[in-house]
Amino acid sequence: MKFDMRALSMGARYKIVNSTITPRPIAWITSMSKAGIVNAAPYSFFNAVGTEPPLIVLGLLKEPMSRGLKNTASNIIETGEFVVNLVCEADAEKMNLTSVDAPADVSEIDYAGIETVPSDAVAPPRIATSPVSFECRKVTALDIGTHQTVVIAEILVAHIADAFVTDPERHYLDTKAMKLIGRTHGSGWYVRNSDEFQMDRPRYDPDRLAGKQN
């Protein structure tokens, strides 16, 4: 079946995108308002987009009724700083707690009982139990359409728990041991990154194409 995304409602487009582009990594974002209130919220419209400089991208949906910025987006645009904390299985319940629609003057850090540690280059703290945390600074924020803000940011500092660094000099990491989780289709569905398979990247073989042409 073909869906003309240009003709569909925002809700219909969301269902198609959300149910097909999976699994998606989760950015458990900590940010800080100008008043010093620390916000924590998970976002799965998130990925890496570059390494020189190291860049990540966030898709931050706005409030569905008012179309105003949510706390995370507001903090990032106002201060330019935030931390992306990756989510392991052990933190899944606390991460889910931070997805509540808390008032702007309530810190989800306190609400979910999350332990934090200071960052090195930005004001918002890191989540202490996260296997990986990226201290980020906003490069640009774009309102594309009426319902979303796209943020591109540079990773200034990467923190990786010592237990997952197998060779510091060659930057080898035990990613599987981090037990990271991701988002999949529909509301409330997640995936564990424990089912893997490996394929070596092949070399180009000109004889392969020549054989098909004969």
Side-chain angles (χ1 to χ4, degrees):
M1 181 177 292
K2 178 174 67 177
F3 296 95
D4 187 343
M5 300 290 274
R6 298 163 296 181
L8 296 178
S9 67
M10 191 276 283
R13 292 193 298 265
Y14 177 84
K15 288 180 181 178
I16 291 173
V17 169
N18 196 52
S19 297
T20 55
I21 303 176
T22 70
R24 300 186 304 279
I26 302 169
W28 197 8
I29 299 174
T30 44
S31 60
M32 183 182 291
S33 70
K34 287 187 174 180
I37 298 172
V38 177
N39 175 266
Y43 289 86
S44 67
F45 284 4
F46 152 67
N47 221 311
V49 292
T51 56
E52 183 54 42
L55 299 175
I56 60 99
V57 65
L58 303 171
L60 306 176
L61 299 182
K62 296 183 179 181
E63 295 287 355
M65 298 302 294
S66 67
R67 300 183 184 177
L69 296 176
K70 295 184 178 181
N71 295 336
T72 297
S74 179
N75 291 346
I76 291 173
I77 290 172
E78 285 186 353
T79 69
E81 297 182 343
F82 62 99
V83 180
V84 168
N85 306 276
L86 302 186
V87 185
C88 63
E89 292 180 29
D91 283 336
E93 185 175 345
K94 287 187 176 181
M95 178 275 297
N96 196 38
L97 275 174
T98 64
S99 68
V100 300
D101 292 324
D105 60 349
V106 171
S107 171
E108 291 86 355
I109 295 294
D110 298 332
Y111 181 82
I114 296 170
E115 180 185 357
T116 63
V117 291
S119 295
D120 292 344
V122 300
R126 299 181 282 121
I127 293 175
T129 53
S130 177
V132 179
S133 296
F134 298 126
E135 298 184 26
C136 299
R137 180 168 295 143
K138 174 177 67 71
V139 174
T140 190
L142 304 171
D143 273 3
I144 302 176
T146 58
H147 290 80
Q148 62 199 5
T149 300
V150 176
V151 173
I152 297 175
E154 180 180 354
I155 300 172
L156 304 178
V157 183
H159 299 268
I160 302 169
D162 291 346
F164 307 120
V165 181
T166 57
D167 188 330
E169 292 184 1
R170 292 188 289 179
H171 306 99
Y172 285 179
L173 309 177
D174 190 351
T175 305
K176 188 173 182 178
M178 297 177 188
K179 295 185 176 181
L180 300 175
I181 62 173
R183 281 299 306 271
T184 60
H185 66 284
S187 177
W189 284 95
Y190 295 83
V191 65
R192 296 180 177 92
N193 288 340
S194 54
D195 184 10
E196 300 178 346
F197 65 94
Q198 185 176 19
M199 293 190 295
D200 293 331
R201 183 175 180 176
R203 293 184 177 180
Y204 176 69
D205 180 5
D207 293 335
R208 177 180 175 86
L209 186 59
K212 291 184 177 182
Q213 292 173 341
N214 294 332

